[in-house]
Amino acid sequence: MSKPRLRRRIAPALGLFVLAPFVGELLLGNLAISEFGLALLLAPLYGGGALLIRETARRAGRGWPTMVLLAAAYALVEEGPVDQLLWNDAYAGHDLLHGESYLPAIGMNVELTVTILALHTVWSICVPIAIVEAFVPDRRTEPWLGVPGFIMTALVYLGGVNLVFWGTLAEEDFMASQLQFASIGVVIAALIVLAFRVGRDPRPPLPGPAPSPWAVGAASLIGTSAFWGPANLVTADWYEWVNVAVWCVVAVAGTVLALRWSRMDGWSPVHVFALAAGATLTYAWTAFPVQPETPGSATLDLVGNTVFAAVAVLILIGAGRAVTGHAGGTVALDH
């Protein structure tokens, strides 16, 4: 393979590897700008995971239903067996478990679990994939890596998993029970199996034109903001079950609408990008009230959030120009 062609294939893979931890930790506001180096250490876990999910789905000829379910499995892997946040009642010095939605029978908090699923499924994995694919619309459904690159990605991801597991274990000195590991392992396995059973057959088109990309992006921004904004701004215990209800409404409504719209005339990769752009802007504005895991200077935090939001907007502008300049025919979310 010629060097230009190799670079053309590798560039989007590297872009996804970098963008996933940027969105998942920095744009979120979870890490301050002074902790930029920590985001690089998390790149094998976030970037490796996002790239592995994307390449696995595209190599199998699958589309977004498969990637979404694999992303949900990733979310439970990261916060379950890897860093064990889902069960640790003193994670990073905070008790995130024993709120109103805590279920003693399983030792888990419902709000924390659905929040983790939303964070990683939507933002850590699916949003970066959609943005990078928008940059290369002509290679949107193609694998970007050969077999050696795919194997290397898997090894990098496993390295990231081990780094976070052992690092968290040393810092937290916490180990979940065998029953908890086994239970979540069953759920993760079920999600992976389901990921390759959905979306195998094309669905019939629906009558009528799809909404404009601007309307789709606005719906994404409003829906994700309705969930993630109050989740950060309202700290009262009573809001836990309310937030679970909001998550369910947003998740179900968003899934139904996206699947329905994607079967209408005129749905294109621009619409898929619009969904990701709306969710990205939600992270950009909600990062400002978020307190980083390591408290520091409020001024530095403000500067960091502003810089990261500006970078995100520039990335969206570049991706938007690329995908609109290559806008083509209708493509369902199966692909």
Side-chain angles (χ1 to χ4, degrees), residues 38 41-42 44-46 74 76-88 91 156-178 180-181 184:
L38 180 55
L41 288 177
L42 292 173
L45 179 65
Y46 281 81
Y74 167 94
L76 295 181
V77 168
E78 178 177 333
E79 307 295 0
V82 177
D83 70 11
Q84 304 180 64
L85 168 64
L86 290 175
W87 306 300
N88 187 350
Y91 189 89
V156 167
Y157 171 67
L158 290 175
V161 165
N162 276 277
L163 177 66
V164 173
F165 174 81
W166 292 109
T168 305
L169 183 62
E171 184 175 341
E172 299 290 336
D173 192 26
F174 173 87
M175 183 66 73
S177 69
Q178 292 183 354
Q180 287 172 321
F181 278 124
I184 204 165

Side-chain angles (χ1 to χ4, degrees), residues 16-111:
L16 179 55
F17 186 83
V18 173
L19 186 61
F22 171 76
V23 174
E25 289 289 343
L26 296 174
L27 186 61
L28 165 66
N30 199 39
L31 295 180
I33 194 170
S34 58
E35 299 174 297
F36 188 84
L38 180 55
L40 295 179
L41 288 177
L42 292 173
L45 179 65
Y46 281 81
L51 186 55
L52 189 61
I53 286 171
R54 193 263 171 200
E55 290 296 296
T56 298
R58 293 309 189 191
R59 281 180 168 276
R62 299 306 182 86
W64 282 104
T66 294
M67 287 191 283
V68 169
L69 288 168
L70 289 178
Y74 167 94
L76 295 181
V77 168
E78 178 177 333
E79 307 295 0
V82 177
D83 70 11
Q84 304 180 64
L85 168 64
L86 290 175
W87 306 300
N88 187 350
D89 61 1
Y91 189 89
H94 304 286
D95 183 357
L96 302 175
L97 293 187
H98 295 101
E100 291 295 317
S101 63
Y102 177 69
L103 300 180
I106 59 175
M108 293 173 66
N109 182 287
V110 177
E111 185 198 33

Side-chain angles (χ1 to χ4, degrees), residues 50-327:
L51 186 55
L52 189 61
I53 286 171
R54 193 263 171 200
E55 290 296 296
T56 298
R58 293 309 189 191
R59 281 180 168 276
R62 299 306 182 86
W64 282 104
T66 294
M67 287 191 283
V68 169
L69 288 168
L70 289 178
Y74 167 94
L76 295 181
V77 168
E78 178 177 333
E79 307 295 0
V82 177
D83 70 11
Q84 304 180 64
L85 168 64
L86 290 175
W87 306 300
N88 187 350
D89 61 1
Y91 189 89
H94 304 286
D95 183 357
L96 302 175
L97 293 187
H98 295 101
E100 291 295 317
S101 63
Y102 177 69
L103 300 180
I106 59 175
M108 293 173 66
N109 182 287
V110 177
E111 185 198 33
L112 177 62
T113 303
V114 299
T115 297
I116 289 305
L117 282 169
L119 290 182
H120 293 308
T121 303
V122 176
W123 283 281
S124 297
I125 304 297
C126 292
V127 163
I129 291 174
I131 291 174
V132 177
E133 287 193 343
F135 272 107
V136 287
D138 58 327
R139 286 168 284 154
R140 181 179 54 83
T141 61
E142 298 175 5
W144 294 333
L145 301 174
V147 173
F150 183 83
I151 294 174
M152 183 177 296
T153 299
L155 293 175
V156 167
Y157 171 67
L158 290 175
V161 165
N162 276 277
L163 177 66
V164 173
F165 174 81
W166 292 109
T168 305
L169 183 62
E171 184 175 341
E172 299 290 336
D173 192 26
F174 173 87
M175 183 66 73
S177 69
Q178 292 183 354
L179 179 60
Q180 287 172 321
F181 278 124
S183 299
I184 204 165
V186 170
V187 176
I188 292 167
L191 286 170
I192 294 173
V193 171
L194 184 61
F196 291 97
R197 294 187 64 85
V198 300
R200 290 185 295 181
D201 300 319
R203 294 159 297 139
L206 293 175
S212 73
W214 287 103
V216 171
S220 175
L221 174 60
I222 292 169
T224 53
S225 293
F227 164 70
W228 192 232
N232 284 296
L233 297 172
V234 182
T235 58
D237 287 344
W238 61 265
Y239 189 73
E240 283 197 14
W241 281 115
V242 175
N243 198 38
V244 171
V246 171
W247 178 85
C248 291
V249 170
V250 171
V252 171
T255 300
V256 170
L257 286 175
L259 290 174
R260 180 176 178 81
W261 289 340
S262 73
R263 296 165 62 189
M264 294 181 173
D265 185 49
W267 182 270
S268 72
V270 181
H271 292 82
V272 178
F273 165 72
L275 287 172
T280 301
L281 293 177
T282 290
Y283 253 21
W285 81 260
T286 56
F288 287 90
V290 170
Q291 179 69 34
E293 284 190 1
T294 305
S297 165
T299 300
L300 188 61
D301 188 31
L302 177 62
V303 170
N305 290 334
T306 302
V307 169
F308 296 145
V311 170
V313 170
L314 290 175
I315 291 173
L316 292 179
I317 290 173
R321 287 178 175 175
V323 74
T324 54
H326 194 272

